[in-house]
Amino acid sequence: MAGGRITDHRYRRRAAGLAVVAVVASMSMIAAGCGGAAGSRASDDIVVVMAASSLADVVETVFEGRSGVTPVVAGSSTLVAQLAAGAEADILITASGDTMERAVSEGSVRGEPVPLAANNLVLATPAGNPGHVTGLDDLTRHDLLIGLCAPEVPCGALARHALDEAHIAPSTDTLEPNVRALATKLSLGELDAGLVYGTDIARAGLSAVDAPELQDHSNRYYIASVSAEPSAAVQAMIQDFTSVDGIGTRALHEYGFGRP
Amino acid sequence: MRPGAATRPISDIPEGPLSQPGTPARPISRLPAALTWVGFVALGMLVLPIVGLLQRAPWSALPSILSESEVLEALRVSLIVSLGATAACIVLGLPLALVLARRRLRFPRVVRAVVMLPMVLPPVVAGTALLFALGRRGLVGQWLDSWFGVSLPFTTAGSVVAAAFVALPFFVVTVEAALRQAGHELDEAAATLGAGAWATLAHVTLPTVRPALVAGTALAWARALGEFGATLTFAGNFPGRTRTLPLETYLALERNPEAAVAISLVLVAVALAVLVTLRDRWMPS
């Protein structure tokens, strides 16, 4: 076999070369995956909508079976980073004002951001409230298993702020890394109470307990056209989410989002 | 050229990974070139991410990041959890490996597959499965709770259980393979000479597979140390109780990626140190 006669030296160089090729190939695949919006854009007739991952269900309801639109769903900060890196999109919907502000200040969004929904912080218990939780004060009870989101993620930051303001020091048993994990543990009955978003109540089949202290603590969602001069199709799609009886607005309501 | 190496009959060349030291080095030219290439690519695939980690490491800030109380606390929890899980793997895994290797089982393939399942289960699923079984409302957990007042989720003990669940197969598979390879002739000889079952185990069986015991322990410990998904899902995340280094890393990624890199470096360094030491001392290379 010819390969067998190659000297050790050349052999090693070739192997290194092959490794580099493999690495470059895999990196470009990763890059292509990140810039999914750019890659999947078939023509100028297709509207690319980037939406925060908590809107996955809403986006699916609104755009299911509709041609001429490609939804891209990911975490808000990921979407903003993709736009900054040159991903092509027509509409951006973020789950917080901060992330939208970043997109605007980086120059990747030139349209005017409009609030389209709010996701309220809610005191949640497993269905039927087995721990007999009656209010936010019960988060200090040591006989209950209490879960919050970690302060590093938005729902946890919101929860900490709300509890600080209400002067409540919770007897926390776990700080979950995302709100879905927290909602799952509540729905399994492994936790007695926790602070999740309003949208998690219906999705995870939880019970909500009235907590007036949480009223003003919510995450605001924003929508904006990426271009300063959006096409008619893009404008119509933004209208779907901002007008009172738009298909997007109705879907948001259906999934438990509040008005902005 | 070693004298004798070429003239040795084929049947003399020891087989398998646990062969005797002094095996003649295999001539490289025997290996097809393409295979060597792919081998290097594979090695690159393993090394490259570590290089990526190293080149982003905040070397100058390393001491201050790693002496943060949160990190030290996570290190403490990590050591308790991984060592506890390793101890559980030895205490429970050794009997299981012996049963698998020595007893005639009714459905040996099924049993072996079941033992290996935690290796393929996505850790988050493993954690959820543990909740279904041992959680407060779980199959067995509800009885633990009502009879003994024991609830594993959200406790350090729960973290140990989750880590042991995913690490156990690594110990059992390693030790069982070695037991099978060693065969039971020596055990039988010992029994014929009048040794009891325990004496045979302690003086014949276990010493024969000592390298595998060490290797299995190291693998199980390394797996437990890096465990993330099952621990998080089953035991949650609370500083000083259930927050291990991998969990600390994950959260640090949200607030300060540099810290996440620094903590990962500790995990890599600790694991590498232990694995290299063990290989050199106990496993013939």
Side-chain angles (χ1 to χ4, degrees):
Chain A
M1 208 179 117
R5 268 179 269 125
I6 299 175
T7 60
D8 233 25
H9 182 65
R10 276 177 57 199
Y11 202 46
R12 242 178 258 147
R13 278 214 337 235
R14 276 216 202 168
L18 199 63
V20 168
V21 169
V23 166
V24 169
S26 56
M27 277 181 170
S28 53
M29 270 189 279
I30 292 165
C34 287
S40 61
R41 205 171 181 203
S43 77
D44 282 343
D45 302 335
I46 290 179
V47 178
V48 176
V49 180
M50 284 186 157
S53 26
S54 44
L55 294 171
D57 296 334
V58 173
V59 165
E60 205 189 306
T61 307
V62 174
F63 295 128
E64 206 186 10
R66 212 152 127 182
S67 61
V69 55
T70 306
V72 177
V73 175
S76 299
S77 39
T78 310
L79 293 174
V80 172
Q82 286 179 8
L83 274 180
E88 279 184 51
D90 300 288
I91 296 175
L92 174 69
I93 311 178
T94 63
S96 74
D98 289 354
T99 40
M100 181 58 85
E101 235 165 68
R102 206 185 316 149
V104 171
S105 69
E106 284 170 352
S108 30
V109 163
R110 296 179 192 279
E112 180 72 26
V114 181
L116 79 160
N119 211 351
N120 301 317
L121 206 58
V122 176
L123 175 57
T125 71
N129 192 359
H132 308 292
V133 176
T134 56
L136 209 58
D137 280 335
D138 283 347
L139 293 183
T140 59
R141 275 168 60 183
H142 286 279
D143 60 321
L144 296 182
L145 286 171
I146 307 293
L148 298 173
C149 285
E152 284 84 354
V153 294
C155 68
L158 211 57
R160 175 176 273 190
H161 188 226
L163 290 168
D164 280 353
E165 239 171 47
H167 302 291
I168 290 171
S171 78
T172 316
D173 290 285
T174 182
L175 295 163
E176 295 293 312
N178 62 67
V179 69
R180 295 218 163 198
L182 178 57
T184 303
K185 281 182 182 138
L186 284 164
S187 73
L188 290 176
E190 295 298 339
L191 290 170
D192 296 300
L195 297 182
V196 300
Y197 288 128
T199 49
D200 296 307
I201 298 293
R203 190 183 54 77
L206 305 174
S207 292
V209 175
D210 219 24
E213 301 96 319
L214 296 177
Q215 210 160 45
D216 297 324
H217 295 277
S218 60
N219 240 2
R220 270 197 171 182
Y221 286 63
Y222 285 83
I223 188 168
S225 155
V226 171
S227 150
E229 285 138 17
S231 69
V234 169
Q235 280 178 359
M237 228 167 264
I238 291 179
Q239 278 290 316
D240 282 345
F241 284 95
T242 51
S243 65
V244 181
D245 55 351
I247 178 174
T249 313
R250 287 204 305 270
L252 284 166
H253 186 70
E254 190 185 315
Y255 282 102
F257 287 92
R259 301 210 178 280
Chain B
M1 173 89 194
R2 281 163 195 247
T7 55
R8 264 175 112 178
I10 299 286
S11 60
D12 261 5
I13 297 175
E15 294 164 29
L18 295 175
S19 55
Q20 298 304 311
T23 309
R26 250 164 255 159
I28 293 216
S29 58
R30 282 264 191 87
L31 210 55
L35 264 189
T36 313
W37 284 26
V38 178
F40 276 122
V41 171
L43 188 64
M45 213 170 90
L46 294 172
V47 170
L48 199 74
I50 306 296
V51 175
L53 199 64
L54 288 175
Q55 56 101 26
R56 288 298 291 269
W59 296 107
S60 54
L62 218 50
S64 69
I65 290 174
L66 297 182
S67 57
E68 275 175 30
S69 60
E70 286 173 4
V71 176
L72 292 176
E73 204 164 45
L75 177 64
R76 185 179 64 84
V77 175
S78 254
L79 288 176
I80 293 172
V81 169
S82 61
L83 292 175
T86 309
C89 284
I90 297 170
V91 170
L92 300 172
L94 185 55
L96 178 56
L98 285 162
V99 167
L100 287 177
R102 293 287 192 266
R103 297 228 15 178
R104 200 164 293 159
L105 296 166
R106 190 169 277 205
F107 303 105
R109 284 185 191 176
V110 178
V111 174
R112 248 178 232 120
V114 168
V115 168
M116 288 175 78
L117 274 185
M119 285 172 140
V120 289
L121 268 189
V124 179
V125 177
T128 313
L130 281 168
L131 275 181
F132 291 154
L134 299 172
R136 198 164 50 155
R137 300 246 186 110
L139 200 61
V140 176
Q142 56 182 320
W143 303 113
L144 288 179
D145 192 35
S146 61
W147 289 351
F148 307 106
V150 174
S151 178
L152 285 172
F154 316 112
T155 62
T156 308
S159 296
V160 173
V161 169
F165 177 75
V166 294
L168 190 57
F170 289 83
F171 182 86
V172 174
V173 168
T174 312
V175 174
E176 194 223 330
L179 283 168
R180 293 186 155 271
Q181 201 178 27
H184 39 74
E185 288 81 6
L186 281 178
D187 297 8
E188 277 159 17
T192 321
L193 295 174
W198 284 105
T200 307
L201 185 69
H203 299 297
V204 180
T205 316
L206 294 186
T208 325
V209 296
R210 196 175 64 173
L213 286 173
V214 176
T217 305
L219 281 175
W221 173 79
R223 180 70 186 83
L225 184 70
E227 172 43 38
F228 172 77
T231 321
L232 177 60
T233 311
F234 182 60
N237 164 45
F238 196 78
R241 209 184 300 161
T242 52
R243 183 179 293 175
T244 55
L245 280 178
L247 299 188
E248 180 72 33
T249 311
Y250 182 75
L251 288 167
L253 219 44
E254 297 278 342
R255 63 163 191 262
N256 178 6
E258 278 201 340
V261 174
I263 304 164
S264 311
L265 278 183
V266 176
L267 279 173
V268 170
V270 169
L272 209 57
V274 170
L275 295 176
V276 167
T277 315
L278 283 177
R279 263 204 96 87
D280 283 358
R281 275 200 67 180
W282 298 103
M283 293 161 74
S285 45

